[in-house]
Amino acid sequence: MNDLEALLVDHIAEHGPIGFDDYVDHALYAPGLGFYGRGGGAGRRRDFLTSPEVGPLFGAVVARALDSWWDSLARPDPYVVVEAGAGPGSLARAVLAAAPRCASALQLVLVEAAEVQWATHPEGATSRAELPGPGELGPGPVVVLANELLDNLPFGLVELTEHGWCELHVGAAPAADASIAGGGLVEVLVPLDARRAGWCWGRAGRAAPVGTRLPVQAAAAVWLDAALGLAGEGGRVVVVDYASSTREMARRPWEEWVRTYAGHGRAGHPLRDPGSCDITVEVAVDQLATVAPPDRDRSQAEFLAAHGIRELVAEGAARWRAEGAAGGLAAIAGRSRVHEADALTDPAGLGAFRVLEWDT
Ligand SMILES: C[S@@+](CC[C@H](N)C(=O)[O-])C[C@H]1O[C@@H](n2cnc3c(N)ncnc32)[C@H](O)[C@@H]1O
């Protein structure tokens, strides 16, 4: 049993089972013990690849998007852009390296809960642990961006049992059973009151069979509400993530939409070895829409096409043709854009992610 698991088992023994969302919060963010709290996360040398970690092309396209949003706001100076869940700062670095037209006005704020990741944030950006409050960054509109943040916010789970809808809590296995259960933590089902059960029926549909599970993404909804408040009048919130709907997830095995990752592979049951793996969930767009329906919902491939990925690839290929290896790193980066674009727009991978936009 690892240190975090031992702490959780002791806590549960004293206070009783904890909600699954509470468990995810500890397993990911407990300082020094949780997956992110220990320094796990996105990157080639870390645990999984995200679009900014594929290479600089994603950031170069986002830089073009930032320019077009700046133009549509009549080029404010300062132009405040908040990147939430910035991880090691790779997206921000690539945006700055692309030298967007808005660069001289750009005030880039990186919000990253795991402070161990701030060390690699680029100069010229400020780092903080929490989303600023409305108006805190000045009176003007703000663009709030989040790539693969919402799938990582703590979420609850509910299950339809023979006795009705229950919330999944995390309890401690009796000591004698811990080795049989494969660990010290076990699932405990706690019945839901009629109002919450009604919410579950509404999301899952009346035909849902016993055994159906649903995610409850309250923290993602709370985050969206705060982000919309921060964006302010004329601002924008842009969320990129793997997403589906609660109804669609209700029809699939929960192990498909709750995903665990470590060391560039899928990991095991989320209750095993807490802190050793990332725990993520597909984002339920319908649950976000209860805060505000997005103004646009398109695939990452469509979003990147709309903001000029093809032009950037053609420009990179032309540079490589003109300069070859003699052109040094810039020419090689130009050539590699072709492969980056393939990965970023792959309909069976990153290209199928959703880009949700709210105009505020
Ligand atoms: C999957 S990583 C994505 C990192 C980066 N955006 C990327 O695409 O490579 C999610 C990041 O969000 C951070 N995070 C989680 N909850 C957060 C919160 N409430 N505010 C800010 N950052 C948070 C995690 O620590 C982690 O670094």
Side-chain angles (χ1 to χ4, degrees):
M1 189 179 299
N2 70 35
D3 289 351
L4 179 57
E5 190 170 6
L7 281 172
L8 290 170
V9 165
D10 285 351
H11 175 88
I12 291 165
E14 197 173 333
H15 302 282
I18 58 175
F20 187 78
D21 49 353
D22 239 7
Y23 168 77
V24 172
D25 200 11
H26 290 298
L28 296 184
Y29 304 114
L33 295 172
F35 175 75
Y36 287 104
R38 290 188 306 117
R44 283 182 194 277
R45 296 196 188 149
R46 298 214 271 166
D47 296 278
F48 48 82
L49 276 190
T50 56
S51 295
E53 299 298 336
V54 165
L57 180 59
F58 184 74
V61 182
V62 170
R64 289 174 74 125
L66 290 177
D67 274 341
S68 80
W69 300 333
W70 188 51
D71 291 340
S72 68
L73 286 170
R75 304 188 182 172
D77 186 354
Y79 176 38
V80 183
V81 175
V82 172
E83 195 208 340
S90 306
L91 174 57
R93 252 193 321 281
V95 164
L96 294 173
R101 284 185 289 106
C102 64
S104 61
L106 187 60
Q107 184 183 323
L108 200 48
V109 178
L110 305 192
V111 183
E112 172 48 56
E115 291 187 20
V116 289
Q117 307 210 57
W118 293 8
T120 49
H121 287 180
E123 264 182 51
T126 51
S127 305
R128 49 187 294 157
E130 284 175 13
L131 214 54
E136 207 181 315
L137 300 176
V142 172
V143 172
V144 184
L145 275 176
N147 189 65
E148 290 204 43
L149 167 65
L150 268 55
D151 67 83
N152 246 175
L153 296 180
F155 59 98
L157 286 175
V158 290
E159 178 176 323
L160 181 58
T161 72
E162 283 175 359
H163 309 291
W165 286 100
C166 292
E167 181 178 355
L168 201 135
H169 283 211
V170 177
D177 295 354
S179 57
I180 302 169
L185 299 169
V186 289
E187 297 181 357
V188 178
L189 290 167
V190 177
L192 287 175
D193 60 34
R195 191 176 61 83
R196 286 162 196 255
W199 182 92
C200 298
W201 283 121
R203 295 285 152 189
R206 285 278 155 189
V210 165
T212 297
R213 283 189 170 187
L214 307 176
V216 182
Q217 301 181 350
V222 167
W223 180 89
L224 175 61
D225 192 47
L228 294 170
L230 170 62
E233 192 159 345
R236 182 183 294 261
V237 176
V238 182
V239 160
V240 187
D241 227 312
Y242 31 96
S244 53
S245 70
T246 317
R247 182 68 61 96
E248 199 265 329
M249 285 187 259
R251 298 192 182 117
R252 289 160 52 207
W254 72 281
E255 297 93 334
E256 263 183 41
W257 42 265
V258 173
R259 310 182 197 172
T260 57
Y261 293 98
H264 292 282
R266 293 290 273 260
H269 192 287
L271 296 189
R272 295 291 83 84
D273 217 3
S276 66
C277 64
D278 196 8
I279 304 173
T280 76
V281 66
E282 285 177 24
V283 174
V285 178
D286 56 301
Q287 294 189 34
L288 294 178
T290 60
V291 177
D295 293 289
R296 280 169 295 288
D297 173 355
R298 51 187 159 172
S299 71
Q300 173 160 305
E302 289 165 330
F303 173 85
L304 295 176
H307 290 289
I309 193 170
R310 290 191 199 96
E311 290 87 322
L312 286 170
V313 169
E315 188 186 292
R319 178 182 285 185
W320 174 253
R321 274 196 307 277
E323 301 174 15
L329 286 180
I332 291 169
R335 185 179 65 163
S336 75
R337 280 183 179 175
V338 177
H339 306 294
E340 287 180 51
D342 283 348
L344 295 172
T345 59
D346 178 359
L350 293 169
F353 279 28
R354 306 306 300 175
V355 181
L356 310 172
E357 292 179 63
W358 288 262
D359 304 329
T360 59

